[in-house]
Amino acid sequence: MANNGLRVVIGRRQILREAKKGNVAEIRIATNAEQQYIHSLIDIAKQYEIKYFISGTMEEFSAYYGIDVPSGSIGVLK
């Protein structure tokens, strides 16, 4: 699958970095990520008023966004 040209960042660290700059439109969180990881991303989303979705798996994210390793989160940039 193609990602339809979306500009994204991969993983919590990059999402947080871009959220601090106001560059994140939404956060997509994998359903099979660890609960602590999911909650930390929800906290980031709430802190920076970013909408978030919990759907898909890490493997689906890897295939869809063309990344080599499974990732628990994707930040879609504005």
Side-chain angles (χ1 to χ4, degrees):
M1 283 191 263
N3 69 12
N4 299 322
L6 293 176
R7 292 183 15 196
V8 299
V9 291
I10 311 299
R12 180 177 50 207
R13 225 176 293 153
Q14 289 184 25
I15 290 170
L16 180 56
R17 183 180 322 130
E18 293 301 322
K20 288 179 180 179
K21 298 176 190 175
N23 294 337
V24 180
E26 68 183 52
I27 299 172
R28 299 177 182 177
I29 306 169
T31 57
N32 61 339
E34 293 182 12
Q35 287 300 307
Q36 183 178 356
Y37 183 82
I38 291 172
H39 290 296
S40 70
L41 284 160
I42 292 171
D43 289 343
I44 291 169
K46 288 179 179 178
Q47 179 179 354
Y48 293 96
E49 299 179 354
I50 301 167
K51 60 184 170 179
Y52 67 92
F53 303 93
I54 302 173
S55 66
T57 65
M58 294 189 297
E59 294 76 19
E60 289 170 341
F61 285 0
S62 295
Y64 187 78
Y65 295 102
I67 53 179
D68 295 331
V69 294
S71 177
S73 59
I74 303 292
V76 178
L77 301 179
K78 293 179 180 176

